[in-house]
Amino acid sequence: MATTERGPRYSTVSLILHWTIAVLAVAQILLISAADQEGANEGLWMMLHKSGGATILILTLVRIAWRLKHPAIPLPAATPRWQRLAARTTHVLFYAVLLIMPLTGWIAGSAAGRGFEYYGLFDFPLLPVGGGRETAGMMMDVHRAVVKGLYVLIALHVLGALKHHFVDRDGVLARMVPFLPARR
C-alpha cells in the first residue's frame, strides 16, 4: 500500500491484479457471446474463453495470496457498519465466484474429455474426474448460474464505488483508480 497526498492507495501489484482480472472477466462475456454466434469460429472463441478462465483462476489464487500478506485498506471511519459488512461480503463473494466459475468449467471440460490449448501454446491438463456428459452438464449448470451471481456482484461493486466517489466524496475509488483525483 502506498500513500499519496490523497491518502492510502493500493499497491501496484494489487492494482494490476484487480484490473487484469476485471478486464478478463468482461472479455469472458464477450468471448462466449462470440462463440454463440452463428457461423462463428466457435473453436477459436472457446479456446480463448477457456484460456481466459484458466488465467482468471491462476490470477485469483495469486490475488488471494497477495491479499493475505497485504490486507485491504480500511474504509473511512465514517462508513456505517452495514456498508462495511456489505463491502466485505461482496469481496469475499467475488473471490468465491472467481474460483468457482473457472473450476466448474474446467471440471466440466475434463469430465467430457474436452481439453484445450492454453492460448494455443500448450495443452492445458484435464482434471482426473469421471462422470462423462452427466457430470459435465451438472458443472455447466453451476457455471451458468454463478455467472448470474457475477453480474450482480459487478453491479454492486460498481455502484458502491460510484457512491463513494460521487456521494460520500471520500477518496475510496481513487485508491484503486490510479489516474483519478480524489473528490473533495
Side-chain angles (χ1 to χ4, degrees), residues 49-116:
H49 179 76
K50 291 176 180 182
S51 297
T55 303
I56 288 171
L57 176 62
I58 292 164
L59 291 177
T60 299
L61 292 170
V62 170
R63 187 162 184 208
I64 290 169
W66 183 261
R67 175 55 69 88
L68 291 173
K69 291 284 226 177
H70 304 88
I73 301 169
L75 288 169
T79 305
R81 186 177 186 286
W82 72 268
Q83 286 181 19
R84 290 173 193 272
L85 181 61
R88 179 86 172 144
T89 301
T90 301
H91 281 98
V92 169
L93 289 173
F94 257 124
Y95 289 129
V97 164
L98 292 171
L99 293 172
I100 292 168
M101 284 184 61
L103 284 172
T104 55
W106 189 12
I107 292 167
S110 296
R114 289 193 206 125
F116 68 96

Side-chain angles (χ1 to χ4, degrees), residues 9-180:
R9 170 146 326 212
Y10 281 100
S11 69
T12 302
V13 172
S14 294
L15 292 172
I16 289 170
L17 289 169
H18 177 274
W19 290 109
T20 301
I21 292 169
V23 167
L24 284 170
V26 171
Q28 291 298 84
I29 297 164
L30 299 174
L31 289 168
I32 202 64
S33 296
D36 288 344
Q37 297 301 311
E38 191 172 322
N41 184 351
E42 182 182 1
L44 171 64
W45 301 123
M46 286 307 297
M47 180 272 295
L48 291 172
H49 179 76
K50 291 176 180 182
S51 297
T55 303
I56 288 171
L57 176 62
I58 292 164
L59 291 177
T60 299
L61 292 170
V62 170
R63 187 162 184 208
I64 290 169
W66 183 261
R67 175 55 69 88
L68 291 173
K69 291 284 226 177
H70 304 88
I73 301 169
L75 288 169
T79 305
R81 186 177 186 286
W82 72 268
Q83 286 181 19
R84 290 173 193 272
L85 181 61
R88 179 86 172 144
T89 301
T90 301
H91 281 98
V92 169
L93 289 173
F94 257 124
Y95 289 129
V97 164
L98 292 171
L99 293 172
I100 292 168
M101 284 184 61
L103 284 172
T104 55
W106 189 12
I107 292 167
S110 296
R114 289 193 206 125
F116 68 96
E117 289 184 35
Y118 184 77
Y119 293 113
L121 300 173
F122 58 87
D123 288 335
F124 203 81
L126 293 176
L127 295 170
V129 296
R133 293 181 69 148
E134 185 177 333
T135 298
M138 287 187 323
M139 289 294 105
M140 286 311 297
D141 288 344
V142 172
H143 189 76
R144 284 187 281 273
V146 173
V147 167
K148 293 173 184 168
L150 178 62
Y151 293 155
V152 171
L153 290 173
I154 290 171
L156 289 172
H157 190 63
V158 169
L159 289 171
L162 293 174
K163 178 199 169 290
H164 277 286
H165 190 67
F166 292 109
V167 176
D168 300 340
R169 297 177 179 258
D170 58 12
V172 168
L173 183 60
R175 296 172 177 183
M176 194 52 83
V177 181
F179 58 83
L180 189 66

